[in-house]
Amino acid sequence: MDAIYVGIDVSKDHLDVHVCPSGEAFAVSRDGKGLEELIDRLRIVVPRLIAIEATGGFETIAAAAIAGASLPLAVVNPAQVRHFAQALGKRAKTDPIDAEVIARFAQAVKPEPRPVPDEEARLLAELVARRRQIIEMIVAERQREKRVENVRVRKSLMRTIRTLEKELPEVDGDIDTLVRGSPAWREKEDLLVTFPGVKNTLARTLLAEVPELGRLTRREIASLAGLAPYTRRSGRWIGKSTIAGGRAPVRAALFMAALSAIRCNPVLKSFYQRLLSAGKPKMVALIAVARKTLTILNAMLRDQKQWQPA
């Protein structure tokens, strides 16, 4: 019997569902009644995998309902699905077509099912994202304040900056309460901050953005953060290795941690200097330090051991 793969396209009001290889398609409303109908119909077909596209939060309720019914679920990257659709020659874009493409993507790629984050994990992720947004707004307003000449506009910018600077400690306090109030998160944070160059901010970013930390191999975790280099090669031509994709907020946070580690972490400082002595550009060496930092932190959580210089 052929394995069953299901693709679900999420919109604000309804869910479009496509079943492979039977080609069955249907739609349900994105409310309690519709989700009950969806779960009942999915249980009948007994799918090998259900794939749902991440759509900025609209998928959360449906994903939680599917995971709560103990059905195999994978939340897939929209960019990967669109590239897959282009490879199939699917130029048209409608909700039923998208559901079919997602189902065929699941059938071809077979992404690994992963548990849906619980409510506390989602809250932590949203708070960390909000903190990042506030910092970005402060930086943007300060840049505008440097360029503006009108006094009234400058005063407006300063008022906005002061408001944002007052909001930042409030968000930090909420994050601290959430992390320190959870024994599991508190234990992980206490392990991570033993690494010279990692402070509470990075530790909490990793807890929120990389819940897989400690459960993947070093290659998998580097790829997840977009720090695994890949080579471009064709015939005799060999291009430069580059990094791309992954979780950009994690990569940015690890890059800042690498700048700190090459000053205060003796092991990574020596590693960085060896790379420079071997002729590596500074940016390449920093990315290597960021990748090594992530893999060490992954091993620390996996083995439940504090940082050891040896």
Side-chain angles (χ1 to χ4, degrees):
M1 183 178 177
D2 292 335
I4 304 297
Y5 294 87
V6 177
I8 301 178
D9 181 73
V10 182
S11 61
K12 185 176 181 180
D13 299 318
H14 64 277
L15 308 173
D16 284 276
V17 185
H18 189 94
V19 181
C20 276
S22 67
E24 178 188 359
F26 60 92
V28 298
S29 56
R30 200 177 71 91
D31 55 20
K33 183 179 180 181
L35 291 173
E36 286 182 10
E37 179 186 349
L38 174 67
I39 298 303
D40 290 341
R41 297 185 70 164
L42 290 177
R43 280 176 170 155
I44 292 172
V45 302
V46 193
R48 171 78 61 83
L49 180 67
I50 301 165
I52 187 169
E53 198 175 54
T55 54
F58 283 138
E59 81 285 354
T60 304
I61 296 175
I66 294 168
S70 299
L71 293 168
L73 172 72
V75 180
V76 297
N77 187 327
Q80 291 179 314
V81 175
R82 288 314 306 160
H83 289 317
F84 183 77
Q86 291 169 1
L88 294 177
K90 295 281 188 180
R91 294 176 177 269
K93 190 181 188 308
T94 65
D95 292 342
I97 290 176
D98 286 349
E100 179 188 356
V101 170
I102 295 169
R104 293 177 66 179
F105 174 84
Q107 185 180 37
V109 179
K110 298 178 178 59
E112 182 183 353
R114 291 216 174 127
V116 175
D118 58 27
E119 186 175 352
E120 281 196 343
R122 289 196 297 270
L123 175 58
L124 178 61
E126 289 177 3
L127 285 170
V128 169
R130 182 57 185 161
R131 184 184 190 278
R132 184 170 62 250
Q133 291 164 2
I134 291 173
I135 291 174
E136 289 172 354
M137 286 189 287
I138 290 174
V139 172
E141 292 293 84
R142 284 177 175 165
Q143 291 298 320
R144 296 186 186 103
E145 192 266 337
K146 289 179 181 178
R147 294 193 300 267
V148 74
E149 296 181 0
N150 187 283
V151 175
R152 291 185 178 180
V153 175
R154 185 179 292 112
K155 287 181 179 180
S156 173
L157 289 166
M158 292 305 298
R159 286 195 300 270
T160 303
I161 292 170
R162 284 194 296 268
T163 301
L164 291 170
E165 287 176 339
K166 288 180 181 178
E167 184 64 22
L168 190 58
E170 296 289 334
V171 175
D172 282 336
D174 290 339
I175 294 173
D176 184 73
T177 300
L178 192 60
V179 172
R180 304 311 292 178
S182 166
W185 280 342
R186 185 170 64 246
E187 182 181 359
K188 289 181 178 180
E189 183 185 33
D190 290 343
L191 274 176
L192 293 174
V193 297
T194 63
F195 185 91
V198 173
K199 302 299 181 184
N200 297 86
T201 300
L202 175 61
R204 291 167 184 179
T205 298
L206 294 174
L207 290 176
E209 304 280 2
V210 198
E212 302 89 347
L213 194 66
R215 301 201 299 267
L216 301 179
T217 67
R218 61 187 181 89
R219 290 185 177 86
E220 289 172 336
I221 201 68
S223 178
L224 195 66
L227 288 171
Y230 62 89
T231 302
R232 300 174 64 197
R233 177 179 298 180
S234 179
R236 296 183 178 180
W237 176 81
I238 300 177
K240 292 183 178 180
S241 295
T242 57
I243 60 170
R247 300 176 185 175
V250 177
R251 189 166 58 253
L254 285 166
F255 184 78
M256 298 305 295
L259 290 173
S260 175
I262 61 175
R263 294 193 301 269
C264 63
N265 187 308
V267 173
L268 292 185
K269 182 177 181 179
S270 175
F271 175 67
Y272 177 70
Q273 292 299 331
R274 286 202 309 273
L275 291 175
L276 293 182
S277 299
K280 299 294 184 183
K282 287 186 177 180
M283 183 59 70
V284 171
L286 278 172
I287 292 171
V289 171
R291 181 168 60 251
K292 193 172 185 67
T293 298
L294 180 61
T295 57
I296 291 173
L297 296 175
N298 184 61
M300 287 167 58
L301 287 191
R302 181 196 63 210
D303 302 335
Q304 291 294 294
K305 291 182 178 179
Q306 295 187 358
W307 159 253
Q308 297 292 333

